[in-house]
């Protein structure tokens, strides 16, 4: 199991390991990073935690790095715009300094991009939705090649938090959440032109 019981954490994976970061524990928000070794399913705490403790964050990854974005801190209480990076080659964590355009938590994230269809290499990560504290439809993009973040301007069709996200080689989908009330909406982002739409087939 994980080294620490907590909720509202996020996770990324390399080809060899999975990493669980952040979350909320009884005493407050956590910065802990736990590692799962896919070869033997053992878990450990490599000792390099997130630079900022928080829960309700989201995460994306490419073949070299994982990025944890957004979240909420307990003490002092505030929403975060931070993006933290874990280097899969040496498991060090750092804050590259290019943060989200808007501080928020309980958002969702996915990765994809044009070159993914050609080489399997993800080009961008997208963070969507969340609470800031009002519900937002914002989509932020992180460019894996330069680690810069930007808001491409094509946001979700419905502001909501507590949503989830998946992706194929061509599209990303943000589904569900709380608007209020609970939402069944599925929004699609087209990686070829970064437009977002609601294809109409909801949860």
């Amino acid at each position: 199991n994980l080294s620490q019981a907590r909720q509202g954490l996020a996770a990324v994976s390399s080809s060899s390991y999975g990493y669980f970061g952040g979350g909320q524990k009884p005493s407050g928000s956590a910065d802990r990073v736990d590692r799962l070794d896919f070869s033997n399913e053992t878990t450990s705490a490599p000792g390099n935690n997130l630079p900022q403790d928080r829960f309700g964050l989201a995460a994306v990854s490419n073949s070299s790095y994982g990025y944890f974005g957004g979240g909420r801190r307990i003490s002092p209480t505030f929403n975060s715009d931070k993006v933290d990076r874990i280097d899969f080659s040496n498991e060090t964590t750092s804050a590259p300094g290019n943060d989200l355009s808007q501080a928020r938590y309980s958002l969702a994230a996915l990765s994809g991009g044009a070159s993914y269809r050609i080489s399997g290499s993800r080009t961008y990560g997208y963070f969507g939705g969340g609470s800031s504290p009002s519900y937002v439809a914002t989509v932020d993009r992180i460019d894996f090649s330069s680690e810069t973040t930007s808001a491409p301007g094509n946001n979700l069709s419905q502001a909501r938090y507590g949503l989830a996200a998946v992706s194929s080689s061509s599209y990303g989908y943000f589904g569900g959440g709380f608007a209020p009330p609970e939402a069944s909406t599925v929004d699609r982002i087209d990686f070829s032109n970064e437009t977002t739409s609601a294809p109409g087939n909801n949860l």
Side-chain angles (χ1 to χ4, degrees):
N1 296 325
L2 300 181
S3 65
Q4 184 183 63
R6 56 203 198 270
Q7 65 166 344
L9 62 167
V12 293
S13 58
S14 69
S15 58
S16 301
Y17 302 101
Y19 299 89
F20 299 86
Q24 183 180 5
K25 54 187 179 177
S27 59
S29 44
D31 61 0
R32 181 68 57 88
V33 173
D34 285 335
R35 181 184 69 192
L36 172 66
D37 187 327
F38 293 146
S39 67
N40 57 17
E41 296 184 331
T42 57
T43 56
S44 59
N48 297 311
N49 296 323
L50 300 180
Q52 185 186 69
D53 59 277
R54 57 207 197 271
F55 72 97
L57 63 170
V60 294
S61 64
N62 62 9
S63 59
S64 301
Y65 303 101
Y67 300 87
F68 294 86
R72 184 174 177 84
R73 296 194 72 189
I74 296 294
S75 181
T77 300
F78 63 87
N79 296 333
S80 175
D81 62 356
K82 293 300 179 186
V83 174
D84 291 334
R85 182 186 71 191
I86 180 169
D87 186 329
F88 293 145
S89 67
N90 57 19
E91 297 183 329
T92 57
T93 56
S94 60
N98 297 311
D99 298 323
L100 301 180
S101 66
Q102 185 179 42
R104 58 199 197 272
Y105 76 104
S106 202
L107 64 166
L110 54 86
S111 27
S115 69
Y116 184 70
R117 295 193 299 274
I118 301 170
S119 64
S121 174
R122 293 175 173 86
T123 307
Y124 303 109
Y126 299 89
F127 295 86
S131 178
S132 186
S134 60
Y135 312 137
V136 302
T138 306
V139 173
D140 284 336
R141 181 186 71 190
I142 180 169
D143 186 327
F144 292 142
S145 65
S146 60
E147 295 185 328
T148 56
T149 55
S150 60
N154 297 311
N155 294 324
L156 303 180
S157 66
Q158 183 183 40
R160 57 201 197 272
Y161 83 105
L163 63 169
V166 294
S167 62
S168 70
S169 59
S170 300
Y171 302 102
Y173 300 87
F174 292 89
F178 188 75
E182 289 78 6
S184 62
T185 306
V186 173
D187 285 332
R188 182 185 71 191
I189 180 168
D190 186 328
F191 294 144
S192 66
N193 56 19
E194 294 186 327
T195 57
T196 55
S197 60
N201 296 311
N202 293 327
L203 303 179

